[in-house]
Amino acid sequence: MTPTNQNIEQLLALCKSCDERAQFEIYNRYNKAMYNTALRIVKDSYKAEDIMQESFLTAFTKLDTLEDTKLFGAWLKRIVVNNSIVYYNKTIKKQEIPLETVMYKVEDDNGIEEHSQENAKVKEIINTMKTLKPNYSLGLTLHLIEGYDYEEICEIMGISYANCRTMISRAKESLRKKLELTA
């Protein structure tokens, strides 16, 4: 299917009337970004894909609640983040160990090119963030990568503003120390 030149407002109007082509077009426009958002939080590619799919289904079934169609991308991202956080919290409470920590696997580069010195540093930072305590890693991912402010992180993680600022500060310091050790 070739992409259309329709803007998001037109596509969403078609989606409200259950137009599958419009839904597929929107899916194709947003799926990679939403998958990467979920992956950064849940750290499991299969679960990230499930969360992304579920989030699209939720978005398509609740399109009538979206007040401004120009904000669809942000609204969808919020659904993905919320679904990812719910899964993350369930995993932490169950103390599940991700399969990736038990088995060796070939990892893709998540779009970061190896040949650039700057991109290599970014990859090193992201990999080091994965070794932090789970709440530090999640907090930094939401703040530095996803761009959420402290108030939004407080709401997402269910913590106080002061606790959030302290956690982010400690996470940054922990990341800084770990990066110094590898330098």
Side-chain angles (χ1 to χ4, degrees):
M1 177 177 204
T2 59
T4 65
N5 292 330
Q6 293 176 304
N7 66 29
I8 193 70
E9 290 87 5
Q10 293 168 325
L11 286 171
L12 290 173
L14 291 170
C15 286
K16 286 180 182 179
S17 63
C18 298
D19 184 317
E20 291 180 11
R21 285 177 173 252
Q23 290 175 341
F24 190 65
E25 173 83 19
I26 287 177
Y27 177 84
N28 284 334
R29 288 185 185 185
Y30 289 95
N31 72 336
K32 289 179 184 166
M34 296 306 123
Y35 168 79
N36 287 330
T37 297
L39 182 63
R40 283 190 292 268
I41 296 171
V42 300
K43 297 174 181 64
D44 177 331
S45 61
Y46 296 111
K47 192 59 190 171
E49 185 146 341
D50 286 346
I51 289 170
M52 178 201 55
Q53 298 284 345
E54 291 168 15
S55 298
F56 271 103
L57 289 173
T58 301
F60 288 140
T61 57
K62 298 193 180 208
L63 268 178
D64 292 332
T65 65
L66 179 61
E67 294 173 10
D68 186 357
T69 55
K70 293 177 183 166
L71 300 176
F72 176 77
W75 181 68
L76 178 61
K77 184 175 182 180
R78 185 65 176 189
I79 293 170
V80 171
V81 167
N82 287 342
N83 288 343
S84 298
I85 296 292
V86 167
Y87 172 78
Y88 175 84
N89 287 335
K90 285 180 186 175
T91 303
I92 292 300
K93 287 178 183 170
K94 290 181 182 177
Q95 296 297 320
E96 291 180 3
I97 300 172
L99 187 59
E100 293 82 29
T101 61
V102 180
M103 296 178 57
Y104 293 102
K105 73 173 197 143
V106 177
E107 293 189 28
D108 63 339
D109 63 0
N110 291 328
I112 298 174
E113 297 178 21
E114 299 282 339
H115 66 277
S116 169
Q117 183 67 24
E118 187 175 300
N119 286 339
K121 186 65 175 173
V122 169
K123 188 170 184 176
E124 177 187 353
I125 291 169
I126 290 172
N127 285 335
T128 305
M129 280 176 58
K130 292 176 184 177
T131 67
L132 298 175
K133 292 184 347 184
N135 62 329
Y136 284 6
S137 177
L138 177 61
L140 284 180
T141 297
L142 291 172
H143 185 63
L144 300 176
I145 296 174
E146 299 301 329
Y148 287 102
D149 61 24
Y150 291 132
E151 289 86 8
E152 293 170 317
I153 295 170
C154 293
E155 184 182 321
I156 290 169
M157 294 182 74
I159 57 178
S160 70
Y161 184 82
N163 192 0
C164 178
R165 287 185 58 95
T166 302
M167 179 195 62
I168 297 288
S169 176
R170 288 179 181 168
K172 286 179 182 176
E173 184 60 29
S174 180
L175 178 63
R176 199 174 293 116
K177 286 179 181 176
K178 285 187 178 223
L179 288 171
E180 286 174 1
L181 291 175
T182 61

